[in-house]
Amino acid sequence: MDYVGRVPAPPLDRFIDDIHCLTGVPSHRRMNVPPMPSAHLFVNLGGPVRLRDSDPSVPPAVFTDRWFMGLWTRRFLLEYPTRVRLVGVHFKP
């Protein structure tokens, strides 16, 4: 899977750490995402992405188009489809 990330030009660089794109076949279908002190916006242009909370009482979420994650304090497990096409924005805290 290819990762391309860019820092936006001013004035967006005051608010956004990076804009990134993931494409291709992932080497690992699952990724542990630790707690993060910032917000993220994802636009999914590929197959469904499954997000599992580390709290087993929370049912998994399936995202087919886009989702926004604010600040979170728990770990998540992200399950990629067989082919990934994802654009993301990582906002500054």
Side-chain angles (χ1 to χ4, degrees), residues 32-92:
N32 277 309
V33 182
M36 294 197 184
S38 57
H40 293 78
L41 172 67
F42 298 98
V43 178
N44 185 16
L45 304 170
V49 174
R50 185 177 304 269
L51 188 68
R52 295 184 186 273
D53 194 304
S54 58
D55 179 351
S57 69
V58 177
V62 177
F63 300 105
T64 56
D65 47 13
R66 78 256 179 250
W67 70 97
F68 180 81
M69 292 182 72
L71 305 177
W72 67 87
T73 58
R74 295 191 305 267
R75 178 186 54 80
F76 286 93
L77 179 67
L78 188 67
E79 295 180 8
Y80 291 118
T82 54
R83 191 148 180 81
V84 175
R85 291 182 62 207
L86 185 72
V87 177
V89 179
H90 175 213
F91 294 92
K92 290 186 175 181

Side-chain angles (χ1 to χ4, degrees), residues 3-20 88-92:
Y3 172 90
V4 176
R6 299 286 187 263
V7 175
L12 288 179
D13 65 338
R14 291 186 351 198
F15 309 105
I16 296 174
D17 265 337
D18 67 271
I19 299 170
H20 58 272
V89 179
H90 175 213
F91 294 92
K92 290 186 175 181

